Structures are given as C-alpha cells and as structure tokens.
Amino acid sequence: MSTHLPTADAQDPDSSARTERLRQALLTAAFTADGLLDLLGAPAYAALARSETVPALRATRGDSPLETLVRLFLLQRPVTEGRARAALPVADCLADGWLVQDGDEVRATVDVRPYGGPEGQDWWIVSDLGCAVGGASGIRGDGADRSQLVLGVGGASTTLAGITVRRPVAKALDLGTGSGIQALHAAQHATRVTATDLNPRALRTAALTLALSGARPADLREGSLFEPVGDETYDLIVSNPPFVISPGARLTYRDGGMGGDDLCRTLVQQSAAHLSDGGYCQLLANWQHVAGEEWQERLRSWVPRGCDAWIVQREVQDITQYAELWLRDAGDHRAGDEVYAERYDAWLDEFEARGTKAVGFGWITLRKSGSDSPAVTVEEWPHPVEQPLGESVVGHFDRQDYLRATDDAALLAAHFRLADEVLQEQVGLPGAEDPEHVVLRQNRGMRRATKVDTVGAGFAGVCDGSLPAGRILDAIAQLVGEDAVLLRDRTPSSIRTLIEQGFLEPVASEG
C-alpha cells in the first residue's frame, strides 16, 4: 500500500471544487449507506462490516457506477480507467490523489466508507486501505507503516458517537481524532471543533473525512493528550483514545504508550482543567481489575474534583481473552507459532507484573458541576441499550442534580410521573395468589429493570403528577394496613432509587 494520502484543501477554492465534484459523484451513484444495503443485500452488507469481501465481490460483478465505487473504495480492487470515468471525475481524483493510475487501470489510495449521519446525512469516513475495522483476521495495513495506520469506523467509535451529548455548544474537542468521525459528528452542533492526534497521518485523514462529507473544517493540532490545546477550555470533550493495555506501544491507533491503564486515568484526571462550567467529557476506556482491589474504587479514584461522573462497565475479559483479541488485531497470529507465543508471553508477563486479573471496557462521562458533593455513579451494565443515548446521559445528570438538592421532606411533597414505556412484570409460580416479586422494566434508553415491593409497585403505578408523593403513600398505608408515619420514613430511599434510575420523573405541581 502506498503511504500517499489525497489532498482536500479547504482554503484552496480549486481543491474545494474538486472535492465537491467527487462528493456529488458519490451521491449521484448512490454510494451511501442506504445505497450499499440496496446493492449488496443484508447478508453481504453485514459480511463487509466483518471485513469479509467475497459476498460483496459477487454482488458487484456488473459495471454500474455504484458497483465500480464499491470495488474501488471498499474492496480495493483496480478497475479500468474507462469504467472509473463512468462513475467519477477521474481527472480530479488523480490530481488530488484519491486514485492512482497503473497502465489502463486506476486504484484507490484510501478506504472510503459510506456512513449515515444521525439525521439521515450521507457522510464518508476515510481510512487507510485494509484498515476497515471488523473481522477475525485483524488489521492488514497492506504494507504501510503499521504504527501509523488510521482505522475506519468500528463498534467503539459508533458507540461513543451514540452516547455523546448532542446539545448546541460553542467549542468541542475531539481528542485522538483518528479518521475524524467524532469531529464530524461534533461539527453538526458545535460552532468550533478542535481535533487532535499524536499521529500526523490521522490529522490529514480526519481533514479528508470532513471535507468529503461536506462539513466545516476543524482546527487540527498534533500532539498527545491535552498538550496541543494548552489551557483552553471546551463545552464538550470526546475521545476514543488508544486505550489498549499492552506491553509497549507498537501501534499508535490503539496503544497509549503508558503502563497499564495510566493513559485513560490521566485523560480523565486532566479533563477537568479543560472543561467549561457545565461541560461534558465523554470517552471510552479500558481499566484493570487488580487482585485485592475493587474495580469500582479504582475508577472512583480517577474522577477529578468538581466533576460528577457516570461510569458504565459494559464488558469484562480475562487476561487471556484480552491478549488474544489484540494479538489477532495486530496480525500476530500470522507471524508464526514461535513469534506468536513469544508475544503472548509478553502480554501475560505485563499483566502478572501489575497484578491484573481481568480488563474492563466501558464508558466514562464527566460533567463539570463544581459541586462540593459530587455525584459519582460506577456500575456494571452488560445488557442491551437503545442508542443514541445522549439525551439519557443528560437525564442522568439532571436527576443527580435534583436528588442532591431535594431532602426527604421535599421529596414527599413533590409530584412525580411514571416515565414513558415502563412496563410492570409480576414474577412467581403459576396459580400463586401473590407474585414473588414485581419488576419494573424500561423499554427505552438504558432499558433498566429493577425489583420493587408491593408498595413500590403501587406507588409507581399511580404516579401521574396529580398528587404529592406523601399523599400517595398515606393512601397506600391505609390500603395495606401499615402505619403511615413508618411508611413515610422508610420509603424515600426507594423513591430516590426509582428517580435515579429514570423510572420516575419529577413534575411541577398544578399552580
């Protein structure tokens, strides 16, 4: 693979015009996420996401413009110049380096992937050839310097895009931009976007992604962590950092170059100094599960002063699974048995030296609240969720603010409503007079489920905003024959849990 990257200079009117002509050609040919699905069909489309190309090759044996573009930019197959001219402004693409010529054929210099924006936008993500994320064979790189490879869209990047708060902001920072997908999303709701990366090749690739997708250019800066931005502050910081816990730093796109999970810890701890008041920092991370230490407390210790935090562990792998995943990602399984075993040993040596028994993966969201009593939630939630979750993130912190400011007396005087799409399930033996327990289950957002007792189920069921919580409890006490004062005393903690988890929503009382 050539290390050459195309050019797309937003400051050069001629270059901008050529990029726009390429963009229009991609649209005209329906080289979009929907167009690909229509052409390939669901099985071949899904296989392509796993880096399995045979079904897509079979589906593109014709000579339509869309089939040509799929072969060029997704399957990295050369096509004749004549066939390319039917799909693209070839002279423009050769001039800017999207294509190179080899006799009577042309081939692509980069991978260009259609990507559907959150509001139906047609975008394209640029990455190095052979670096589409997915598949069991690892990143190929096709002969380039593997340490500088720029990856395309993967599950991690789409997860981060989905959980990010999408409120209009003045300034956003994409730290470790890679192919530029987070900067592209941020450009839709931030007046100014700054994108940084230690890898200069990534910055050039991100510029291509933004230009080809018709987004405003970002302020691109080279450097590690917050180094390139000095003491600037932002309303939103997003990062899909090189979080892999590995021995050494072979691959810039995944290895942070610090020991253990120090890079993620450092990023979290330094972020507070770069957040505006009320601003969010959202990132993906790996963390160690160390013998003799609670992983939750490890993560709590990362949270900087003056920030609320919501940390969700989505997955845990033992050290052998983890090492095998990233050895395969690097293609080490193709290096021969002896080399593979040597590198596998190096990973296990690293974990043994640090007392690491497993590695967790998940999301970290900080909000700069300035509170002297910050709300820090660290939880494990491996269950399916409904993306996008940006509004659920905002709701989580809004509820923390409410609970922090509301004592039990105020809670009992407040009015609540049951959140939308909450169902009640009764669990017990068939024919039993009473259920063993009752479960409230959400069908939106985090899709939480929580057990409640008879009082909790009855309370949630009648919350429609019309009565204060205390009066509802008094009625329940009379119905079940309990002392109303005792019920008022013991129930607020249960109500707080239902509010914190989003089952109940505070509402303003009439008048």
Side-chain angles (χ1 to χ4, degrees), residues 6-10 12-26 89 92-93 96 98 124 207-214:
T7 58
D9 187 351
D12 179 354
D14 291 337
S15 177
S16 294
R18 289 193 296 270
T19 303
E20 181 58 24
R21 286 195 290 270
L22 171 57
R23 170 179 156 80
Q24 291 302 320
L26 301 182
D92 290 344
C93 292
D96 284 339
W98 296 94
W124 294 270
L208 295 172
T209 290
L210 292 166
L212 192 58
S213 298

Side-chain angles (χ1 to χ4, degrees), residues 33 93 143 167 171 188 207 210 212 218 261 291 293 338 357 378 388 430 434 470 478 486:
C93 292
R167 297 285 177 90
K171 296 174 62 181
Q188 311 308 304
L210 292 166
L212 192 58
D261 51 19
E293 177 184 80
E338 188 173 333
K357 302 302 182 184
V378 183
D434 295 312
Q478 185 175 11
L486 293 178

Side-chain angles (χ1 to χ4, degrees), residues 52 71 96 116 131 143 173 175 199 239 243 277 320 330 408 413 422 445:
E52 295 289 351
R71 286 195 163 244
D96 284 339
C131 291
L173 170 64
L175 193 152
N199 182 1
S239 183
F243 54 66
D277 291 342
T320 58
D408 285 355
V422 173

Side-chain angles (χ1 to χ4, degrees), residues 446-460:
M446 292 293 286
R447 293 179 172 168
R448 295 187 185 278
T450 188
K451 289 183 183 179
V452 292
D453 59 16
T454 303
V455 171
F459 180 85

